[in-house]
Amino acid sequence: MNNLTAKFMKFIESNGSKKYFFGGIAVAILILFACTFSLSTSYAVVIDGKTAGHVSSATALNQAMAAAKEKAQQESGMEITGPYNTVKAEVSHSLFTSTMSYNELKTLLEEKVEWLAPGAVLNVNNGEIQFAVATEEDGQKVLDKLKETATANVDASVVKSVDFQEEVSVEAANVKVSEIQSVDKIIEQIQEGKEEVKTHVVEEGESFWMIAHNNNMSVDELQKLNADIVPERLQIGQEISLTKQEPLVSVVITKEVTVEESIAHSTEYKDTSSLLKGETKVVTKGSDGKKEVTYEVKEANGSTIEKNVINEVVVAEPVTEVVNRGTGSIQLSSRSASNSNGGSGVLAWPLSSNKITSPYGTRSRGFHSGIDLQAKTGTSVYASAGGKVVLASWYYGYGNCIVIDHGNGIKTRYAHLSSYKVKVGDTVSRGQLIALSGNTGNSTGPHLHFEVIVNGSTKNPVNYLK
Ligand SMILES: [Zn+2]
């Protein structure tokens, strides 16, 4: 070989060994790689259908689950029956997956897996609302305490029964350990209640009462929720709050209450011509009766939701008042003048003692339209017949004056009075005290001036007095 050939061979030789050297490194890297990222022997940890990570063996998952269960059992003190979630190990076909260490897996399970234990569920309205409790006794305790609180200030002697407005039940069930609550916590939530935020926008023609009614509320309730709103001044477009805070469970207390109530008496009128129209006379005095009424009252959250009469015992019957009502009329035909000293008419004298000091008719000072009767100031003045008071006030020279309309165009006037015992509009009966005599108006001394007016003209009263 020549020198050139030798050099060439050397080159080949050295180059070849280098090739082997580089190839060896590549294989080593591949093996290392395969060791770190398992190619075919990993398992996916699938919780409720979702892959949460990978582990190298299915046994590791079983062990970690057992450990997590043990931990949950110790922490809760309950007999754990199993996981709430479905946890599976599935063979993974994906390449280059990174697997978790055993401790990482345990932490993952502690975070993601919930455990079931035999406890109980308190159902409200067939499961509309549910509370998990450790035992059935706890569920019952919640219900008992709710009743206890609701009846704390109620007289036990009138309580007939204590129930719940909602359908409630306690049933044994497997419950999530994480959801189990204490008796007091549940009571707190029940009493706090639900707050459904609801508003109503006032529309044309709506009243506060209507809005309350349409939302099963009383006006008072609605006013409480809308303290700043004046019901009489609702405006279209105004927002009204309908947000009611009610407990999740309402205790209904049924009471039996007996109260004494009065029975109003009725009045029976009997028409009689022996009394003048407008006159009445009580024949039998009426009186109210008494009864003992027993009510069944249902109360919830401090207000009455139902009230029914269940028994009624009459203790005293009412007495009907019987009243004679006059239909008679004053006879217009005047009596003869011979009766002037006492008269034989139908009108009663207006005083208990009647002495005429100035008669009806023409006198020196002009025509006297009535009779003057002697009376010290303060003497009782009585209605001459039944009728209606049409004037009871100062009237020119008459001073304090009363006019009674007896119907049939007949009126009587009483003048110079010191005080009134009746007012305009009153119905008076014959002989009723109507005023006290006096010396008011155009009068020269205390007396009673008395007039009889028939169809607008004064007549000599003496002819009408009895
Ligand atoms: Zn007179």
Side-chain angles (χ1 to χ4, degrees), residues 363 368 370-372 416 447 449:
R363 59 183 183 180
H368 192 214
I371 52 171
D372 288 351
H416 313 308
H447 75 284
H449 172 91

Side-chain angles (χ1 to χ4, degrees), residues 350-353 375-376 378-382 421 433-437 448:
L351 303 175
S352 52
S353 161
K376 279 189 276 184
T379 304
S380 295
V381 178
Y382 306 103
K421 298 293 181 188
L433 177 68
I434 55 166
L436 298 180
S437 71
L448 177 71

Side-chain angles (χ1 to χ4, degrees), residues 66-373:
K69 179 183 170 183
E70 181 63 30
K71 194 180 176 194
Q73 193 148 307
Q74 271 172 12
E75 281 176 358
S76 68
M78 297 190 75
E79 202 59 50
I80 304 287
T81 51
Y84 166 75
N85 315 79
T86 55
V87 183
K88 287 192 289 191
E90 282 175 6
V91 175
S92 173
H93 300 294
S94 38
L95 296 169
F96 309 125
T97 48
S98 123
T99 55
M100 287 179 286
S101 71
Y102 183 71
N103 279 336
E104 283 170 330
L105 174 62
K106 259 169 71 179
T107 310
L108 174 84
L109 296 180
E110 279 163 22
E111 277 172 13
K112 299 246 165 136
V113 177
E114 294 201 73
W115 298 94
L116 294 172
V121 172
L122 169 58
N123 280 308
V124 180
N125 284 343
N126 298 316
E128 194 183 288
I129 304 164
Q130 288 188 316
F131 296 101
V133 278
T135 59
E136 283 180 81
E137 288 73 34
D138 272 5
Q140 199 51 53
K141 250 187 233 170
V142 170
L143 298 178
D144 291 347
K145 276 199 174 182
L146 285 174
K147 284 184 177 179
E148 226 172 84
T149 312
T151 54
N153 297 314
V154 179
D155 176 7
S157 68
V158 298
V159 175
K160 234 171 109 186
S161 65
V162 182
D163 311 280
F164 295 103
Q165 197 158 30
E166 294 77 13
E167 191 92 26
V168 291
S169 64
V170 179
E171 282 161 29
N174 262 338
V175 291
K176 274 194 212 173
V177 171
S178 64
E179 288 181 354
I180 291 172
Q181 295 190 83
S182 70
V183 170
D184 289 342
K185 261 275 160 62
I186 294 172
I187 287 175
E188 209 174 280
Q189 287 171 66
I190 287 176
Q191 289 176 339
E192 215 165 80
K194 56 181 170 224
E195 194 184 271
E196 265 179 75
V197 179
K198 233 174 118 187
T199 51
H200 174 81
V201 178
V202 178
E203 286 168 27
E204 201 179 341
E206 279 187 328
S207 71
F208 200 71
W209 178 88
M210 251 168 83
I211 296 165
H213 179 78
N214 290 343
N215 291 282
N216 296 319
M217 268 189 241
S218 71
V219 170
D220 282 354
E221 271 180 286
L222 191 58
Q223 181 74 83
K224 258 184 218 161
L225 300 176
N226 297 277
D228 53 329
I229 287 177
V230 182
E232 295 78 27
R233 278 181 235 149
L234 277 193
Q235 282 167 357
I236 295 167
Q238 195 168 16
E239 274 197 4
I240 301 227
S241 170
L242 300 175
T243 303
K244 239 202 298 193
Q245 205 149 14
E246 276 187 344
L248 299 178
V249 176
S250 293
V251 177
V252 178
I253 304 170
T254 306
K255 293 181 186 176
E256 203 175 280
V257 191
T258 302
V259 288
E260 195 172 83
E261 291 182 359
S262 73
I263 311 168
H265 72 269
S266 56
T267 304
E268 195 185 307
Y269 289 97
K270 283 182 176 165
D271 288 344
T272 170
S273 59
S274 66
L275 292 173
L276 290 175
K277 204 173 267 175
E279 280 187 316
T280 54
K281 196 178 171 192
V282 175
V283 182
T284 310
K285 181 95 188 79
S287 63
D288 288 349
K290 262 185 203 165
K291 60 182 174 181
E292 276 177 357
V293 186
T294 304
Y295 290 99
E296 190 187 80
V297 184
K298 285 186 194 289
E299 289 175 355
N301 307 317
S303 48
T304 300
I305 53 171
E306 216 184 302
K307 189 176 179 181
N308 295 308
V309 174
I310 53 169
N311 195 27
E312 232 182 70
V313 178
V314 175
V315 179
E317 293 281 0
V319 176
T320 301
E321 182 151 300
V322 180
V323 178
N324 278 351
R325 186 165 52 188
T327 56
S329 55
I330 291 171
Q331 291 151 29
L332 283 173
S333 55
S334 67
R335 306 291 167 160
S336 67
S338 63
N339 289 321
S340 62
N341 238 357
S344 58
V346 291
L347 295 178
W349 288 87
L351 303 175
S352 52
S353 161
N354 299 279
K355 190 181 173 215
I356 297 171
T357 54
S358 177
Y360 177 85
T362 312
R363 59 183 183 180
S364 55
R365 282 184 288 131
F367 191 79
H368 192 214
S369 57
I371 52 171
D372 288 351
L373 296 167

